[in-house]
Amino acid sequence: MAKDEIYTIPVNDGFQQDCECAFCAMQQKLENDMLDFVLSPSYMEEDVRGETNEKGFCRTHMEQLYRRDNALGVALIMQSQFDHQRKKVLDLARGAGSVKKTGLFGKKQTAEDPVEDYIRNQPHTCYICDRTDTTLDRYFGAFFILWKKDASFREKVLSCKGFCMIHFLKLIQASSKHLNAKEAADFQAAILKIQEDNDARIAEDINWFTLKFDYRYQKEPWKNSKDAVPRTIQKINSQIVTK
């Protein structure tokens, strides 16, 4: 079995859903599964704890962890991560400005500033984001396994509501890797048509939603625009939002 074949089941399940982007739905499930995993007893495994201590969590996933009904789990994570990061930060502070390197012909150059690196990178590193992105990349490989061998799956894709902008471009990009030149060209033409049609649908819905706030259209029906805002957000941000 090819390494990506084990991922065909969640990909097939993703395209069973009636949604604006099957990959967004798959990504959301991966993130929820990772939130559950981080707050499970698995967190006490040394390798997992070491990786979460180093990478931490982005603001979005930290807030989601905090809102889960597991105060002790979050506290244990924060205790371990705080101990790791405070030692790292204090060491950086003690050594700030003291790191130098010598270039060619003895010319002194300032080394890359580890303090600046920490300030710039740390807020954007995330254990859950990294794990989710890695698995989602494998889902793209599984997508093309199904596309090539499963006619019923192709029908699901061809009748879907398109994709968010990022996952659409990733799909176009991945097609050149997983298909030969002719197959990729045919796939890209088909998927572009789907995206164009559904982008037009979204544009019409969000436009009508805004018009409904004009007194001249208040008595007109909402048509399909009542949930146009969250659907448009998803198309742009790859994010499923609910109130």
Side-chain angles (χ1 to χ4, degrees):
M1 178 182 290
K3 67 176 183 178
D4 287 333
E5 283 196 49
I6 62 174
Y7 300 104
T8 56
I9 294 174
V11 172
N12 197 34
D13 289 345
F15 278 89
Q16 302 271 25
Q17 301 184 49
D18 180 21
C19 60
E20 292 295 345
C21 176
F23 285 102
C24 285
M26 288 182 255
Q27 179 174 305
Q28 184 183 61
K29 185 177 187 310
L30 284 171
E31 289 177 335
N32 285 332
D33 289 348
M34 283 303 305
L35 289 165
D36 290 340
F37 172 79
V38 168
L39 291 172
S40 75
S42 298
Y43 177 73
M44 299 311 295
E45 296 176 9
E46 187 175 350
D47 59 334
V48 175
R49 191 166 65 253
E51 195 171 352
T52 56
N53 283 346
E54 183 61 29
K55 291 184 177 179
F57 304 95
C58 66
R59 292 182 177 183
T60 297
H61 288 133
M62 188 67 260
E63 182 176 356
Q64 289 174 351
L65 284 169
Y66 183 70
R67 291 183 181 278
R68 294 269 171 140
D69 188 21
N70 191 337
L72 177 58
V74 175
L76 290 169
I77 291 169
M78 290 298 96
Q79 180 185 43
S80 182
Q81 188 182 348
F82 183 74
D83 285 345
H84 176 84
Q85 291 293 340
R86 72 186 177 100
K87 291 173 186 175
K88 187 173 182 178
V89 167
L90 291 173
D91 286 344
L92 287 172
R94 293 186 188 104
S98 63
V99 180
K100 302 287 184 180
K101 66 181 180 180
T102 302
L104 292 175
F105 310 113
K107 183 179 180 181
K108 289 185 178 180
Q109 296 177 328
T110 302
E112 290 185 8
D113 186 350
V115 174
E116 179 61 32
D117 288 345
Y118 185 93
I119 293 169
R120 182 175 60 250
N121 296 322
Q122 190 64 30
H124 306 292
T125 61
C126 178
Y127 176 81
I128 292 175
C129 286
D130 287 356
R131 288 299 184 95
T132 299
D133 290 346
T134 296
T135 304
L136 198 64
D137 284 344
R138 290 171 177 164
Y139 282 0
F140 280 95
F143 172 94
F144 287 102
I145 292 173
L146 288 167
W147 177 264
K148 287 189 283 188
K149 73 176 187 180
D150 189 336
S152 65
F153 178 76
R154 287 196 299 274
E155 287 302 315
K156 291 176 193 174
V157 175
L158 294 172
S159 61
C160 78
K161 292 181 177 179
F163 307 91
C164 72
M165 295 178 181
I166 293 297
H167 291 143
F168 167 66
L169 289 177
K170 283 189 174 182
L171 204 54
I172 292 290
Q173 187 180 55
S175 65
S176 298
K177 175 182 176 183
H178 295 282
L179 303 174
N180 64 38
K182 184 182 184 309
E183 289 171 338
D186 291 343
F187 171 81
Q188 290 170 13
I191 220 74
L192 180 61
K193 178 67 166 61
I194 293 169
Q195 193 71 8
E196 287 174 337
D197 290 347
N198 283 282
D199 280 356
R201 171 179 58 83
I202 291 291
E204 181 180 349
D205 288 348
I206 194 67
N207 180 62
W208 187 250
F209 183 92
T210 61
L211 288 175
K212 280 291 294 172
F213 289 84
D214 186 322
Y215 74 92
R216 293 171 296 178
Y217 296 90
Q218 286 181 353
K219 293 183 179 180
E220 297 293 328
W222 281 89
K223 301 181 183 179
N224 294 319
S225 71
K226 281 190 175 181
D227 63 345
V229 173
R231 289 188 289 111
T232 306
I233 290 171
Q234 183 183 353
K235 289 293 190 185
I236 297 169
N237 285 4
S238 308
Q239 181 182 11
I240 300 173
V241 294
T242 56
K243 284 191 175 181

